Amino acid sequence: MSRGTMPHPGAWPGASCAEKPALETGASSPGTARAAVREGGKAEAAGQPRAAVRGPAEQEEDIYRSEDEIEKEKELLVHERGSSELRLSVAPEVDIMDYCKKEWRGNTQKATCMKKGYEEVSQKFTSIRRVRGDNYCALRATLFQAMSQPAALPPWLQDPELTLLPEKLMSKYSWIKQWKLGLKFEGKNEDLVDKIKESLSLLRKKWAGLAELRTAEARQVACDELFTNEEEEYSLYEAVKFLMLNRAIELYDDKEKGKEVPFFSVLLFARDTSSDPGQLLRNHLNQVGHTGGLEQVEMFLLAYAVRHTIQVYRLSKYSTEEFITVYPTDPPRDWPVVTLIAEDDRHYNVPVRVCEETSL
């Protein structure tokens, strides 16, 4: 697809958080594998038989996941190292076509579409790393890819006023005090301004530390280590969410003043649930990491927040012009590019190791 092509607005799930496409019978997908764990894991552990197979109407996979389901997903991403275990948010890389063959064994139309999509991606990338699916996966996949790149610290992170944003915005918009911290910080009675400032400082510190490493290998090892430290990792997501809110406020103000704004921002504030930044916070950003992930239109906002072009292979859109979707559709040329893989527009994994032919 061309860089200027935007997904058709009518096809976005952004208008409704309740969209739950049913999985096709016979296609063994990552979703069904996770569902099997969720349905049978606890029962088997207790010596009880696995739950009976559900009917088609019951085979729908929830877009957003409960805490129990999130814990099961974490268990699938445990990397054993002797007697100690590191919980990886981004699993070790595996051959991309081996992954495809394992996850999509059926011959249904859906499975065939996934296989062809993965074959296309394998022309550019040889491996894939699976990302933990706990409603932070869009943030996690994007940030992991961005911070893994061998590049200098982005100019916007060098801005000395970055950590002044929380106090500045909260003094102007009292509704920001409705901010809902992530699950990892619930019950800690943390001052909101201090917590967001701390998160922004951590984002800059960690990114700067990675940027100073001389080799791509050293940076990757350090990035992997960062994404096993849950408290630091989830603090980074608070920072990114706040940056998303900041960009949303800027775009909304520009729109209200009659200035030209990116088309996605018009759609962002055209939703009944986010007609202004306050509603966007309450109904969408506050749900990220709790009961919801990012919707398609919010992927554009994420790209603007971290000033990276996000290129996504949307496997379910194989053979259509939306197979490769770029957020935003017309990015500044100096923005770095990160690449993700999405099977269903709800969960994102990361492709790694560019093919030699492609790199040449």
Side-chain angles (χ1 to χ4, degrees), residues 218-262:
R219 184 162 185 161
Q220 190 63 70
V221 169
C223 196
D224 286 350
E225 183 177 347
L226 173 59
F227 282 78
T228 61
N229 185 324
E230 289 193 340
E231 185 167 352
E232 289 188 340
E233 178 192 345
Y234 287 95
S235 287
L236 299 182
Y237 303 146
E238 294 301 314
V240 174
K241 285 167 57 179
F242 195 82
L243 293 171
M244 290 175 68
L245 179 62
N246 179 53
R247 293 311 296 262
I249 291 173
E250 292 175 349
L251 291 168
Y252 181 81
D253 288 346
D254 285 346
K255 180 177 73 72
E256 291 298 292
K257 293 174 183 176
K259 295 182 180 180
E260 185 177 354
V261 294

Side-chain angles (χ1 to χ4, degrees), residues 284-302:
H284 295 274
L285 292 180
N286 270 351
Q287 308 313 314
V288 175
H290 289 266
T291 59
L294 293 187
E295 299 173 359
Q296 284 293 290
V297 70
E298 291 155 5
M299 290 296 290
F300 289 90
L301 186 60
L302 173 59

Side-chain angles (χ1 to χ4, degrees), residues 22 66 70 86 103 120 165 183 195 198 219 258 278 304 308 335 349:
S66 68
I70 289 171
L86 293 176
E103 301 294 333
E120 184 71 22
L165 268 179
L183 292 171
K195 179 57 188 174
E198 176 187 311
R219 184 162 185 161
Y304 268 80
H308 277 62
W335 280 13
N349 290 320

Side-chain angles (χ1 to χ4, degrees), residues 65-257:
R65 325 269 288 286
S66 68
E67 289 186 61
D68 287 343
E69 293 170 322
I70 289 171
E71 287 304 315
K72 280 297 178 183
E73 179 73 16
K74 290 178 182 178
E75 290 177 15
L76 292 175
L77 290 168
V78 170
H79 180 50
E80 295 188 5
R81 294 186 179 181
S83 60
S84 63
E85 294 182 344
L86 293 176
R87 293 188 178 277
L88 296 177
S89 286
V90 183
E93 66 179 77
V94 295
D95 180 87
I96 195 166
M97 290 312 299
D98 287 348
Y99 177 87
C100 172
K101 291 173 184 176
K102 179 180 178 181
E103 301 294 333
W104 294 96
R105 300 175 183 174
N107 294 314
T108 64
Q109 183 178 359
K110 179 75 170 181
T112 300
C113 179
M114 292 294 110
K115 292 174 186 177
K116 289 183 177 179
Y118 273 115
E119 287 174 2
E120 184 71 22
V121 178
S122 71
Q123 302 304 307
K124 298 289 181 67
F125 298 91
T126 64
S127 303
I128 187 172
R129 299 187 66 169
R130 199 173 90 200
V131 174
R132 182 188 298 176
D134 61 355
N135 294 325
Y136 279 114
C137 69
L139 297 180
R140 176 177 290 113
T142 300
L143 201 56
F144 181 84
Q145 288 287 69
M147 297 180 76
S148 296
Q149 292 183 348
L153 181 67
W156 57 271
L157 272 175
Q158 300 176 35
D159 186 348
E161 295 192 3
L162 178 70
T163 55
L164 302 180
L165 268 179
E167 191 170 1
K168 176 183 174 182
L169 290 183
M170 288 184 204
S171 64
K172 187 175 181 180
Y173 305 103
S174 60
W175 48 263
I176 297 182
K177 295 177 181 178
Q178 299 174 48
W179 185 277
K180 186 177 182 181
L181 290 170
L183 292 171
K184 295 294 177 183
F185 309 105
E186 285 189 338
K188 293 190 176 181
N189 297 320
E190 300 201 40
D191 179 82
L192 184 58
V193 172
D194 289 344
K195 179 57 188 174
I196 300 299
K197 286 178 65 175
E198 176 187 311
S199 296
L200 290 168
S201 294
L202 182 68
L203 178 64
R204 177 160 57 195
K205 176 184 176 182
K206 292 298 180 179
W207 206 315
L210 291 168
E212 291 174 357
L213 298 176
R214 295 184 177 182
T215 67
E217 291 77 11
R219 184 162 185 161
Q220 190 63 70
V221 169
C223 196
D224 286 350
E225 183 177 347
L226 173 59
F227 282 78
T228 61
N229 185 324
E230 289 193 340
E231 185 167 352
E232 289 188 340
E233 178 192 345
Y234 287 95
S235 287
L236 299 182
Y237 303 146
E238 294 301 314
V240 174
K241 285 167 57 179
F242 195 82
L243 293 171
M244 290 175 68
L245 179 62
N246 179 53
R247 293 311 296 262
I249 291 173
E250 292 175 349
L251 291 168
Y252 181 81
D253 288 346
D254 285 346
K255 180 177 73 72
E256 291 298 292
K257 293 174 183 176

Side-chain angles (χ1 to χ4, degrees), residues 22 51 53 56 59 78 91 126 139 141 148 186 222 225 238 248 260 263 265 268 278 281 297 316 331 334 345 347 358:
V53 176
Q59 285 185 327
V78 170
T126 64
L139 297 180
S148 296
E186 285 189 338
E225 183 177 347
E238 294 301 314
E260 185 177 354
F263 181 56
S265 65
L268 182 72
L281 171 63
V297 70
S316 63
D334 61 342
D345 287 344
H347 182 77
T358 302

